[in-house]
């Protein structure tokens, strides 16, 4: 009797994956993302978990947490390897003769470009063959390219090795976010994404501190050596503990309820019994397999097609620009804070620069309750006010605080950098951390909103946001020096503050008309023939 009831619960007429909502009591037949999140006083599990033990949604909590930890540490070490050279650029310059000094800048600027290219190559591949093989391959390439950089004997070889390394590090943006989302239900995605970002931020900050001591003592080659050793350990841990998160989520036809039948929904209070006899048990042998799917190469073309179509959706373009602007703030701060603090009147010692990165660690743990858990709390509150129905636009409310923080941090940083004699060093350090917090908030909102709104097309759209902001960052890194020379710190930061403010205000029409954009995009691009 209990099994029959659970089978009845499993026979959902509609799930988040196929983006339809008519059976959930909603009016729009093609309204992707709108789902019943609350049933009476309980949270409905969206997507609906199957009774398959191999469903990533059915992973035990400890497996999900360990996977998020490994993925977050991978992201941290990827960010360190590609962006951590800014704090030790003086030591890097000392490694090469005067005629190579101009090209040393390529070690700092090219990584963001190649991270974007890495996303363009890897994200379609993860749809064709699965997330796990692409993730493991990325770690393997990080290990190989780290050895290459450590053993490079010329600047050209060093640049080439870092470019390959950056291709693999690019998956720290879109792919890992996709994997984290696929293991969690809708009402958990905000906190899961922020935990991933917090682990990344804390890990990167701690390694930044270590970098300022490791490089002067052991040299640049051992910096790569330590990074490569950590990547090797993460590769082994990922092989053992990070499962495949792609899952063909189809509707079970058990029970086949008629239109008149009221379908019970699986909630957080449902005692869902798994069915290993029918689906097969989740075993270590199964989890350790690298390839779980027959390659679907045709999916790569569809992936790029959907990515191109995404540029016609205003809310996706807005998320790309917002993320690019907030990332620009962080790039500006991270590229300029060292010269300001090393110069008068602050005269920081070089090793103190690493401790500035601890402000990033503090920012990550502030972001967890405010952005992560706060975002999930907001969507439950708004859904309760909307008779239990969740609209993805509720996620956009979480960008209000990061937007205010971004604008204020720009103003304070610009004034402090331009007039250091009038401001404390905290006017550099605190806005630096605040800028990172703002970017983390915009990134979390983008990931959760895209996955919730267009679940079936989320991969290509995450690619647009992640790769697009990487290219924006690359352009900003090249424009940084002439920008500051022309407008000085206060003028440059004022310009960025205006840009961030304008893009943040564009979130208002995206919130108001977001539902219509989702319905229009589904009918225009992805409705079945």
């Amino acid at each position: 009797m209990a099994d029959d009831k659970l089978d009845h619960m499993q026979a959902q007429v509609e799930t988040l994956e196929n983006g339809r909502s008519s059976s959930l009591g909603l009016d729009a037949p093609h309204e992707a993302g709108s789902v019943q999140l609350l049933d009476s006083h309980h949270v409905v599990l969206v997507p609906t978990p199957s009774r398959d033990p191999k469903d990533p949604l059915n992973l035990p909590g400890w497996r999900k947490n360990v996977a998020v930890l490994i993925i977050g540490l991978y992201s941290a070490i990827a960010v360190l390897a590609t962006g951590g050279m800014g704090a030790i650029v003086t030591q890097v310059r000392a490694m090469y003769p005067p005629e190579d000094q101009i090209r040393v800048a390529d070690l700092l600027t090219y990584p963001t470009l190649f991270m974007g290219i890495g996303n363009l190559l890897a994200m379609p591949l993860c749809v064709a063959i699965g997330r796990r093989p692409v993730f493991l391959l990325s770690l393997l390439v990080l290990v190989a390219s780290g050895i290459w950089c450590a053993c490079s004997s010329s600047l050209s070889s060093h640049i080439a090795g870092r470019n390959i390394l950056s291709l693999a590090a690019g998956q720290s943006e879109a792919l890992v976010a996709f994997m984290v989302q696929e293991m969690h239900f809708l009402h958990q995605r905000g906190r899961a994404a922020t935990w991933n970002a917090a682990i990344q931020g804390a890990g990167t900050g701690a390694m930044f501190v270590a970098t300022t001591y490791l490089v002067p003592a052991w040299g640049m080659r051992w910096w790569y050596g330590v990074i490569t050793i950590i990547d090797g350990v993460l590769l082994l841990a990922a092989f053992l503990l990070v499962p495949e998160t792609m899952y063909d989520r189809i509707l079970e036809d058990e029970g086949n309820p008629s239109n008149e039948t009221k379908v019970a929904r699986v909630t957080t209070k449902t005692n869902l019994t798994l069915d290993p006899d029918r689906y097969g048990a989740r075993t270590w042998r199964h989890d350790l397999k690298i390839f779980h799917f027959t390659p679907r190469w045709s999916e790569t073309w569809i992936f790029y097609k959907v990515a191109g179509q995404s540029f016609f959706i205003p809310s996706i373009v807005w998320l790309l620009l917002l993320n690019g602007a907030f990332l620009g703030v962080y790039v500006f701060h991270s590229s300029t804070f060292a010269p300001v603090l090393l110069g008068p009147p602050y005269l920081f010692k070089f090793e103190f620069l690493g401790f500035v990165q601890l402000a990033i660690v503090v920012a990550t743990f502030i972001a967890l309750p405010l952005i992560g858990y706060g975002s999930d709390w907001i969507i439950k509150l708004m859904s309760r006010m909307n008779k239990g129905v969740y609209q993805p636009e509720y996620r956009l409310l979480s960008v209000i605080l990061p937007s205010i923080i971004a604008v204020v941090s720009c103003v304070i940083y610009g004034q402090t950098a331009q007039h250091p004699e009038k401001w404390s060093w905290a006017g550099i350090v605190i806005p630096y951390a605040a800028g990172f917090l703002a970017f983390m908030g915009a990134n979390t909102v983008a990931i959760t909103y895209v996955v919730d709104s267009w679940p079936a097309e989320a991969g290509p759209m995450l690619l647009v946001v992640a790769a697009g902001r990487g290219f924006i960052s690359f352009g900003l890194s090249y424009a940084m020096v002439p920008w500051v020379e022309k407008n000085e710190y206060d003028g440059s930061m004022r310009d960025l503050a205006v840009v961030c403010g304008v893009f943040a205000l564009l979130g208002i029409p995206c919130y108001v008309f977001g539902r219509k954009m989702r319905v229009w995009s589904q009918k225009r691009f992805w409705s079945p023939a």
Side-chain angles (χ1 to χ4, degrees), residues 275-354:
D275 190 357
D277 293 333
R278 176 180 176 183
Y279 297 98
R282 175 183 286 276
T283 64
W284 282 106
R285 182 178 180 180
H286 169 271
D287 282 355
L288 293 179
K289 286 175 57 180
I290 296 179
F291 296 95
H292 289 257
F293 301 94
T294 302
R296 310 164 182 176
W297 300 116
S298 61
E299 295 291 330
T300 59
W301 157 245
I302 298 174
F303 190 100
Y304 285 123
K305 179 183 177 182
V306 174
Q309 292 169 332
S310 301
F311 285 100
F312 293 94
I313 304 175
S315 51
I316 296 297
V317 176
W318 169 68
L319 287 171
L320 166 61
L321 295 175
L322 185 75
N323 267 258
F326 284 21
L327 176 60
V329 173
Y330 175 65
V331 169
F332 193 106
H333 290 174
S334 62
S335 301
T336 58
F337 81 92
V340 174
L341 293 178
L342 290 173
Y346 306 127
L347 298 176
F348 270 44
K349 294 181 180 180
F350 175 77
E351 57 267 26
F352 288 176
L353 294 179

Side-chain angles (χ1 to χ4, degrees), residues 112 320-325 327-328 467-477:
T112 53
L320 166 61
L321 295 175
L322 185 75
N323 267 258
L327 176 60
R469 74 185 182 213
F471 294 134
I472 291 173
S473 174
F474 174 69
L476 285 172
S477 63

Side-chain angles (χ1 to χ4, degrees), residues 138-166:
S138 298
L139 277 164
L140 182 62
V141 173
L142 280 180
V143 172
S145 57
I147 295 173
W148 178 350
C149 291
C151 299
S152 61
S153 57
S154 68
L155 179 58
S156 295
S157 177
H158 190 179
I159 293 173
R162 278 185 65 78
N163 291 344
I164 300 299
L165 183 147
S166 300

Side-chain angles (χ1 to χ4, degrees), residues 41-63:
H41 299 291
H42 300 147
V43 177
V44 178
L45 298 181
V46 180
T48 303
S50 68
R51 298 180 67 189
D52 185 356
K54 299 184 292 296
D55 186 341
L57 291 175
N58 292 329
L59 282 168
W62 74 268
R63 283 292 301 274

Side-chain angles (χ1 to χ4, degrees), residues 439-482:
F439 169 63
M440 185 188 300
N443 185 46
T444 300
V445 169
I447 293 170
T448 53
Y449 180 72
V450 167
V451 174
D452 293 353
S453 298
W454 296 275
E457 298 82 23
M461 293 182 177
L462 288 177
L463 169 66
V464 169
V465 176
R469 74 185 182 213
F471 294 134
I472 291 173
S473 174
F474 174 69
L476 285 172
S477 63
Y478 260 99
M480 196 74 65
V481 173

Side-chain angles (χ1 to χ4, degrees), residues 63 66-75 131-140 142-143 175-176 179 183 230-245 282 284 286-290 292:
R63 283 292 301 274
V66 169
V68 170
L69 175 62
I70 294 172
I71 291 171
L73 291 176
Y74 155 77
S75 300
R131 323 312 187 212
R132 177 173 161 85
V134 177
F135 183 61
L136 294 177
L137 178 62
S138 298
L139 277 164
L140 182 62
L142 280 180
V143 172
L175 176 59
V176 300
M179 293 171 66
M183 289 187 291
I230 295 175
D231 282 331
V233 173
L234 289 176
L235 174 60
L236 178 61
F239 175 74
L240 296 174
L241 296 170
V242 177
E244 175 61 68
T245 62
R282 175 183 286 276
W284 282 106
H286 169 271
D287 282 355
L288 293 179
K289 286 175 57 180
I290 296 179
H292 289 257

Side-chain angles (χ1 to χ4, degrees), residues 55-215:
D55 186 341
L57 291 175
N58 292 329
L59 282 168
W62 74 268
R63 283 292 301 274
K64 293 183 181 182
N65 294 338
V66 169
V68 170
L69 175 62
I70 294 172
I71 291 171
L73 291 176
Y74 155 77
S75 300
I77 206 69
V79 171
L80 175 72
T82 53
M85 195 170 282
I88 53 174
V89 67
T90 54
Q91 282 82 356
V92 177
R93 292 187 182 279
M95 296 171 56
Y96 299 105
E99 59 268 22
D100 285 340
Q101 292 304 304
I102 295 179
R103 295 180 59 218
V104 169
D106 293 345
L107 294 170
L108 282 73
T109 54
Y110 278 2
T112 53
L113 172 63
F114 279 86
M115 288 177 75
I117 296 173
N119 275 296
L120 289 175
L121 298 175
M123 285 301 291
L125 192 61
C126 82
V127 173
I129 64 175
R131 323 312 187 212
R132 177 173 161 85
V134 177
F135 183 61
L136 294 177
L137 178 62
S138 298
L139 277 164
L140 182 62
V141 173
L142 280 180
V143 172
S145 57
I147 295 173
W148 178 350
C149 291
C151 299
S152 61
S153 57
S154 68
L155 179 58
S156 295
S157 177
H158 190 179
I159 293 173
R162 278 185 65 78
N163 291 344
I164 300 299
L165 183 147
S166 300
L167 286 175
Q171 281 61 262
S172 64
E173 297 179 327
L175 176 59
V176 300
F178 208 17
M179 293 171 66
V180 170
Q181 298 294 296
E182 288 178 319
M183 289 187 291
H184 294 86
F185 296 103
L186 187 149
H187 70 283
Q188 302 168 332
R189 288 173 175 169
R191 73 192 73 172
T194 310
W195 264 111
N196 179 57
I199 294 169
Q200 173 185 325
T204 303
M207 287 298 295
F208 266 126
V209 176
T211 293
T212 57
Y213 288 92
L214 189 152
V215 174

